[in-house]
Amino acid sequence: MPDHDMEKAYDPKQHEDKTYQRWEESGYFNPDNLPGDRVEPYAIMMPPPNVTGVLHLGHALENTIMDIEARYQRMLGKRAMIVPGTDHSAVATQARVEDNLRKAGMENPRQELGREGLLEKIREYAEDSKSTILSQIRKMGTSADWSRLAYTFDEERSRIVNEVFVKMYNDGLVYRGYRVVNWSIAGQSTASDDELEYSERTTKLYTFKYSADFPIPIATVLPETKLGDTAVAVHPSDERYAEYIGQTFTVNVGAAKPLQIHVIADDNVDPAYGTGALGVTPAHSASDFELYEKNPQIGLIQIVGKDGLMTDEAGADYAGMPYKEAREKFVEWLRSNNLMISEEDITHNVSLSDRFKDEIWPMPMEQWFVSVTKEIPGRGKSLKALMREAVTTGLNGDTTKKVTITPDRFEKIYLQWIDNLRDWCISRQIWWGHRIPIWTRGEETYCGVSAPEGDNWEQDSDTLDTWFSSGMWTFSTLGWPNNSDFATYHPSAWMQMGHEILRLWMARMIMFSAYAVEDVPFHDVYIHGILRDKDGRKFSKSSGNGIDPLDVIAEYGTDALRMSLIKGIAPGNDSRFYEDKVADARNFVNKLWNISRFVTMQEAQTTKEASLADRWIESRVAQLITEVSSDLDSYQFSQASEKLYDFVWHEYADWYIEMSKVSELGSRGQKDILEVLLRMLHPFMPFVTEVLAEKIGLSETSELLMVAEWPKADPAAIDKELDKRMVTIQELISGVRSLRKEYQVKPGETLKVLGEGFSKDEQLIMSRLARIEFASSIDYKKSASAVSGEDKIILPLDDVIDVEAERTRIQNEIARLEKYLSSVAIKLSNEGFVSNAPPEVLEQTKQLQMQRSAELEHLKSALESLT
RNA sequence: GGGCGGUUAGCUCAGUUGGUUAGAGCGCUUGCUCGACACGCAAGAGGUCACAAGUUCGAAUCUUGUAUCGCCCACCA
């Protein structure tokens, strides 16, 4: 039953929670419960938010995009499913909790609480944050299947992590290696290359000689590391230093241990940069370590320890000293011994740990790595090759096993990253995370999903990089390998994510899936931009510009927030958050509410014959359905939302409903059309549309709008001639309105115009909307009757439209088309073109030719009717 | 150093294979309380689409170059 007691303005608070509850109770978030014969699965795995706190507006954007896609696919009749979940986010969460504990007065949480004690604190925090996050996701209207809720650190996911690890271990892809890794002193843990951020700093570049008798000067920004130098590298063709290549010098560096400096040659040294020679510190530089691997005879000396203090290797005077002090001391020594050649300020990038924010120290140590270049047994290719294949040819050249990236420019970025990919350091020395499933007992090593039988086995104390588990998200959430969900829903259909985690996450999902499942993790991935604040800054805790989505929702409603986030953005481009935009979207929601209110107040006129207005709106709606569907099919969410917005407001409300107020015209299909619009708007603004659908009463079924069918366009309704005619009428009305102004006709007065060439309905519309009357002939002289004595001004329509201008326009158009057609005729008579052009291009050209010819004919007749 | 993106109305931004007079929201001006909506209605002002050259019957859109802003990666002696 239609509800005639609607409030004047829509109040989201009264409806949103109730509506979400209705959805949940229906069970339709779970695709197994969806009505109808649905066969095609359509799974979307929610990018699991970190359990490090609360969600921000960026998550709101993600949820909106994801939910639009899911709701659209559900309405298309697929078994649409969003699998929700959260990520334990190893380092990030531990760092956050340790930070909180320190703020609360604990000096060294790890020491004071111990492994289990600290883990307990982190677990508490994570659970707390998890429940906040899940309720926020509900608030955003996300149609997630809560029965499949997952967590990267729950039992099932942990089992799968271990299984994949074991598989990789047995395949020799996971290995223990000694090499330089990124070490965070503050975090007391390694970090992968992708967990670094860069900060530009001004530092001193020191140019010096190790000793007075050492022939080659070198430069550095980290003088204390020079106490660990074992070589100087020069370019092989550098004549200045050629004579020294191959020699070894023993240099005395004051209080430190004497250094054995080998002079080596390497092509990577740029002879034009600095002194043209490079002091090689194998222990504290990843690139120097590579030189060491090529020239192992030079040796390696670690002079800074994990604690940031100088080691014994640095010499008795330096041992135990914080590296910053050591720097001062060594620089002072160089100065006082006249070895310092120059000191200049330069700006350079410093690597920081993205979680602990301290400067990264490259250090050599034993860690676990995943080899990306080693051939996988039985597969004949490396992980790197698989990662490349998955987005180019499809795995093993199978195009059904291919990931399509939208917008496609991100494919290039991805491939570029793959090319530079190095082995991935996966072990972390923090405690919060999946413990490495390796046990040792004396000389024995065991790798397995669970602990080995027997006593005295000791498990590796390290944990896995958090991306090791999130990289398996698409199949771990489905219970790989034996769950029926996995068989049904993997590969997932579609995935969305921000471009900032393209490498961190997308690449890893592709890698793990290609390796473990031998398939892609998803068929399509949509990359969206980052949401920034109104000044273009990233939202972050440190800038203090965070906005709680719940505050926005409380003020404007979820639908308004969703619409504002999606509208007016381009795929892949960053966007900014403006409250004005939300207010605008709120106005739109309210407009829709009032349109519905108006429609429910009308009496049903279903039997009435279609009026001009009806035929026109049906034509326009058919076109709208086609366009919006095609936009959504190509993930043009913003464009689709804008088309709907414009249509609802400026065509349906401002024009169709206004026309319907001309009582003689009536309106046959107001409610039907509104329902079609509600369906199309539902993915974008699920709450208000669901509420309104209930108010106006769904025509076909009593089910929720959420599971209603996506409208289909009726091609027969499309009447482009009628559309054009309407545009002309709108222009005429607008012309009449300005004439009223020009002749200063008072609002109550009627303007009389010559109505030749217009149908009765058309005249009706114009007479009402522009308040004019139509005369059948001109019975006046224009100049004399501009202002008549009878409250009426009579004008020929020629005055309303500028006939001369119109004629010129049409003539130009005709000329343009004729020119075009002649060029096409030449093209089509060219045998080279006809025989070489791809058939579809040829076909397209011919079609265009026909289309344009028809247009030309049309214009010619229009010109005639004007004259 | 390599790559990617931006430069369109006062502001914030759309503009998918080249095609009528380049759009929206906000802001601004004027007028409206005429059967839903002032979170509204109507009218209006405002743009050499960063610049230059080229391709084309036709360029905001394609090509080349320049300027400028931003992001990512590499380097960081």
Side-chain angles (χ1 to χ4, degrees), chain A residues 702-717:
Chain A
S702 58
E703 292 278 13
L704 292 163
L705 185 65
M706 181 179 108
V707 290
E709 250 181 78
W710 183 258
K712 285 193 189 68
D714 173 11

Side-chain angles (χ1 to χ4, degrees), chain A residues 347 572 590 622 629 640 669:
Chain A
T347 57
N590 193 55
S629 306

Side-chain angles (χ1 to χ4, degrees), chain A residues 452-732:
Chain A
E453 302 287 324
D455 296 331
N456 298 325
W457 285 101
E458 201 162 316
Q459 187 170 8
D460 193 304
S461 61
D462 286 358
T463 52
L464 286 165
D465 181 354
T466 195
W467 298 104
F468 196 90
S469 52
S470 34
M472 300 171 199
W473 190 239
T474 61
F475 58 92
S476 70
T477 45
L478 296 172
W480 175 82
N482 294 321
N483 196 302
S484 69
D485 265 5
F486 173 71
T488 311
Y489 293 106
H490 204 273
S492 63
W494 182 84
M495 167 69 77
Q496 57 81 41
M497 71 182 74
H499 59 64
E500 80 279 13
I501 54 170
L502 189 110
R503 296 184 309 275
L504 232 36
W505 193 39
M506 184 183 93
R508 257 118 207 194
M509 281 194 282
I510 293 175
M511 184 186 95
F512 280 120
S513 194
Y515 169 71
V517 180
E518 306 198 19
D519 207 335
V520 290
F522 32 73
H523 294 298
D524 288 288
V525 57
Y526 173 79
I527 308 292
H528 61 78
I530 302 172
L531 186 66
R532 298 167 177 278
D533 74 2
K534 64 179 169 47
D535 302 313
R537 295 175 306 169
K538 271 187 181 178
F539 283 115
S540 74
K541 298 215 170 53
S542 49
S543 340
N545 57 355
I547 295 171
D548 187 344
L550 294 189
D551 291 346
V552 182
I553 287 172
E555 185 166 358
Y556 297 99
T558 301
D559 293 322
L561 175 61
R562 289 170 61 123
M563 198 68 174
S564 75
L565 292 176
I566 205 72
K567 211 170 141 266
I569 62 172
N573 286 8
D574 291 355
S575 55
R576 298 187 190 191
F577 179 79
Y578 287 97
E579 205 168 323
D580 278 356
K581 263 180 97 172
V582 192
D584 169 47
R586 187 264 327 265
N587 295 351
F588 177 64
V589 169
N590 193 55
K591 182 75 184 180
L592 185 66
W593 177 264
N594 274 290
I595 286 168
S596 309
R597 197 152 83 102
F598 179 79
V599 170
T600 59
M601 286 160 78
Q602 306 306 301
E603 288 182 22
Q605 295 177 325
T606 44
T607 53
K608 203 165 172 180
E609 199 186 330
S611 72
L612 178 73
D614 291 328
R615 279 190 289 123
W616 169 74
I617 198 80
E618 278 159 19
S619 165
R620 290 292 300 135
V621 163
Q623 289 172 61
L624 181 75
I625 295 172
T626 312
E627 287 176 23
V628 170
S629 306
S630 126
D631 284 344
L632 288 176
D633 289 339
S634 53
Y635 314 123
Q636 306 274 345
F637 302 106
S638 183
Q639 205 156 257
S641 71
E642 281 166 51
K643 278 178 187 155
L644 285 165
Y645 177 103
D646 287 344
F647 186 89
V648 168
W649 204 316
H650 301 302
E651 295 198 55
Y652 183 69
D654 290 349
W655 191 221
Y656 177 62
I657 288 193
E658 286 312 310
M659 278 198 283
S660 81
K661 289 179 181 172
V662 179
S663 60
E664 299 88 331
L665 268 175
S667 56
R668 186 183 63 165
Q670 274 185 9
K671 186 176 160 266
D672 293 348
I673 302 285
L674 177 60
E675 192 184 324
V676 169
L677 295 175
L678 289 178
R679 288 175 194 227
M680 281 196 281
L681 282 166
H682 182 257
F684 301 87
M685 313 194 304
F687 289 109
V688 70
T689 49
E690 189 70 76
V691 172
L692 289 174
E694 195 186 15
K695 300 261 185 213
I696 68 166
L698 282 175
S699 55
E700 286 170 22
T701 157
S702 58
E703 292 278 13
L704 292 163
L705 185 65
M706 181 179 108
V707 290
E709 250 181 78
W710 183 258
K712 285 193 189 68
D714 173 11
I718 296 178
D719 183 346
K720 296 236 171 168
E721 288 307 311
L722 181 58
D723 296 345
K724 277 187 195 157
R725 186 75 180 162
M726 272 306 168
V727 172
T728 310
I729 290 170
Q730 278 178 317
E731 279 168 3
L732 279 169

Side-chain angles (χ1 to χ4, degrees), chain A residues 426-440:
Chain A
I426 51 169
S427 44
R428 298 287 176 274
Q429 290 64 52
I430 54 156
W431 294 336
W432 180 244
H434 301 93
R435 201 135 164 206
I436 292 184
I438 297 272
W439 286 262
T440 48

